[in-house]
Amino acid sequence: MTHVFHRNPRQTLPVAVGGQGIELIDSTGKHYLDACGGAAVSCLGHGHPRVIEAMQQQAAQLAYAHTSFFTTEVAEELADTLAAKAPGDLNHVYFVSGGSEGVEAALKLARQYFVEIGEPQRQYFIARRQSYHGNTLGALAIGGNAWRREPFLPLLVPAHHVSPCFAYRERHEGETDATYVQRLADELEAKILELGADQVIAFVAETVVGATAGAVPPVGDYFKRIRAVCDKYGVLLLLDEVMSGMGRTGYLFACEEDDVVPDILVIAKGLGAGYQPIGAMLCTDRIFDAVVGGSGFFQHGHTYVGHAMACAAALAVQRAIAEDHLLENVKARGEQLRARLREVFADHPNVGDVRGRGLFVGVEFVADRATRQTLPTADKTHARLKAAAKARGLLVYPMGGTVDGVHGDHALIAPPFICQPADIDRIVERLALAVADVTGAKTGGA
């Protein structure tokens, strides 16, 4: 009997008792390769000595001070570090406790910005189908995942959605990268005009789509064209890098690879690597100055924003990423991971696509490679794959509803940045065995 209200109360979970490097250990002594970092969180693996030391030192000095009374040295230093490395003039950092909370803060800041500059009529957000921006009500309202939204629809504010940049599923036959992304940019512009050019607050998008569709990267100059549409109508660009940011794609900020600077950017998971709950919202000078020069007060806040212990952990994480040159390793190991997956599953009848950037990789499963027909929903392939992989000592992050919130199965692979070549080989080997367990079709790796 447990008194913990677990996510799935019908399920009995093993008890995690330890972790070292890229492995987790349960109470029976079984070791698991953590090939997903939980939900792309544990980017430095487990038991990192420098992060633990920084947390211990901060706890001994100061654990908590409310941000309406004080700032702290460690919060200031972490903000300085992020602002110095962020693209463009994303110079202002608002700390929160996680991704959903960061998106909530971003939505409220975006709305308040227009109130401050005398455009209070702006009221709409546009996001994309099959997006995920968090589970709090505002973030859930903006997100485009039908399955997650449906039970709570009466509680959600209205939001509007356009097509995702999902080339494997939605690019038309014969479309080039250029014609495809222009079609998507035109769709966004049409939606803005439909709602009213002076009524839209922001376009919200994951730079690389995370768990809902499985590491779907943008095509070509997609975000440059989206940025141009937003600028044409004074609409803010709000990028969600909760899962894809902080080095996961091989760049500290995923949008650097697309050479685009958003007006507001949200980060979380890899910021603190799971050592403490922390996220952050960054905004440009223009937005910050509008608040400072207007009401002078951001009408938002939570008890634990800017928590000193969380900031200390995150600062140590970011120092380790920089000092150990881990972004270079992410790029190299990511190329190895995708190449090895494509090699092992080259002839597998149920593996339709391998995609992603850096150590942020998705594998999509299908009933037929030629037609890309999805597997039967009732088969719950993603759930069975999770169990099969776990039985073999591998943790991956599968999900269903890849295509439309109902149909489709994929697995997200997001191992720690510290992975070595042999670790990647072990991950792929165990995944191939798990896929064979579930589909009955063997590969060159199983």
Side-chain angles (χ1 to χ4, degrees):
M1 176 65 182
T2 176
H3 293 283
V4 176
F5 194 153
H6 291 289
R7 291 191 184 204
N8 186 347
R10 296 179 179 177
Q11 184 180 28
T12 300
L13 295 170
V15 179
V17 298
Q20 191 61 45
I22 69 167
E23 291 190 333
L24 282 169
I25 307 161
D26 72 18
S27 57
T28 70
K30 183 174 181 176
H31 288 238
Y32 304 82
L33 283 176
D34 189 1
C36 59
V41 175
S42 301
C43 60
L44 291 188
H46 308 278
H48 197 287
R50 279 177 282 165
V51 180
I52 293 170
E53 181 183 6
M55 292 169 62
Q56 290 171 334
Q57 290 178 354
Q58 186 63 46
Q61 179 182 341
L62 174 68
Y64 170 75
H66 197 282
T67 53
S68 70
F69 295 97
F70 298 98
T71 187
T72 59
E73 292 177 348
V74 69
E76 295 290 341
E77 189 170 358
L78 179 58
D80 289 346
T81 299
L82 293 173
K85 295 181 178 181
D89 64 339
L90 290 164
N91 292 323
H92 308 280
V93 185
Y94 187 94
F95 292 116
V96 294
S97 298
S100 297
E101 195 177 306
V103 171
E104 292 285 324
L107 298 176
K108 290 174 77 173
L109 180 60
R111 164 63 185 171
Q112 186 174 334
Y113 166 74
F114 284 110
V115 173
E116 299 281 8
I117 67 170
E119 297 185 34
Q121 79 285 353
R122 289 189 184 258
Q123 58 183 308
Y124 299 121
F125 287 94
I126 302 172
R128 303 187 294 188
R129 288 185 287 101
Q130 279 304 90
S131 59
Y132 178 67
H133 298 293
N135 257 335
T136 49
L137 289 178
L140 191 63
I142 299 308
N145 183 271
W147 174 78
R148 293 177 187 265
R149 289 164 48 87
E150 196 275 334
F152 308 103
L153 284 175
L155 307 180
L156 304 182
V157 298
H160 302 271
H161 299 93
V162 293
S163 299
C165 188
F166 193 169
Y168 178 69
R169 283 289 171 187
E170 302 212 0
R171 176 158 46 188
H172 296 164
E173 186 175 351
E175 273 189 321
T176 64
D177 284 357
T179 56
Y180 177 45
V181 299
Q182 187 59 53
R183 175 164 63 84
L184 296 177
D186 291 344
E187 182 183 348
L188 174 60
E189 183 170 22
K191 178 60 71 173
I192 291 172
L193 292 173
E194 173 192 329
L195 296 172
D198 64 345
Q199 299 291 311
V200 179
I201 295 173
F203 176 67
V204 185
E206 298 159 278
T207 308
V208 180
V209 179
T212 303
V216 179
V219 171
D221 63 351
Y222 169 78
F223 274 115
K224 285 188 174 181
R225 299 196 188 202
I226 293 297
R227 171 86 263 186
V229 172
C230 289
D231 289 344
K232 182 176 180 180
Y233 298 101
V235 172
L236 300 180
L237 177 60
L238 197 167
L239 290 185
D240 175 348
E241 297 194 355
V242 168
M243 189 172 265
S244 64
M246 294 290 92
R248 176 55 60 188
T249 65
Y251 293 79
L252 196 60
F253 297 90
C255 59
E256 292 179 89
E257 188 167 352
D258 299 286
D259 195 25
V260 168
V261 180
D263 300 288
I264 301 175
L265 178 72
V266 183
I267 54 176
K269 301 178 185 294
L271 176 59
Y275 288 90
Q276 285 281 279
I278 189 169
M281 173 190 69
L282 289 76
C283 73
T284 60
D285 292 341
R286 174 169 62 109
I287 293 176
F288 179 79
D289 290 345
V291 174
V292 173
S295 66
F297 179 72
F298 179 31
Q299 296 185 39
H300 183 69
H302 293 283
T303 301
Y304 292 115
V305 300
H307 196 281
M309 284 285 291
C311 289
L315 184 58
V317 168
Q318 297 312 309
R319 284 174 173 167
I321 290 172
E323 292 168 4
D324 296 345
H325 308 289
L326 291 181
L327 296 183
E328 289 86 345
N329 192 58
V330 170
K331 292 175 184 175
R333 299 287 71 75
E335 289 180 5
Q336 177 192 355
L337 176 58
R338 292 189 299 279
R340 186 74 183 119
L341 287 168
R342 287 168 179 151
E343 177 186 359
V344 167
F345 292 119
D347 299 319
H348 196 287
N350 302 120
V351 175
D353 192 31
V354 175
R355 53 180 175 256
R357 288 180 175 179
L359 285 174
F360 196 43
V361 176
V363 179
E364 184 171 341
F365 301 95
V366 295
D368 185 281
R369 288 171 60 127
T371 65
R372 303 180 185 179
Q373 175 64 40
T374 59
L375 290 157
T377 303
D379 287 357
K380 296 188 180 298
T381 300
H382 60 284
R384 293 191 296 123
L385 177 62
K386 182 179 181 179
K390 195 173 181 181
R392 290 188 174 275
L394 177 70
L395 303 177
V396 291
Y397 200 73
M399 190 167 289
T402 309
V403 179
D404 55 10
V406 177
H407 304 94
D409 300 88
H410 69 267
L412 186 69
I413 306 169
F417 301 173
I418 59 174
C419 278
Q420 298 302 303
D423 297 324
I424 299 297
D425 288 339
R426 286 197 297 159
I427 288 168
V428 175
E429 178 184 4
R430 292 189 192 183
L431 180 63
L433 291 169
V435 170
D437 291 340
V438 171
T439 65
K442 293 189 179 295
T443 69

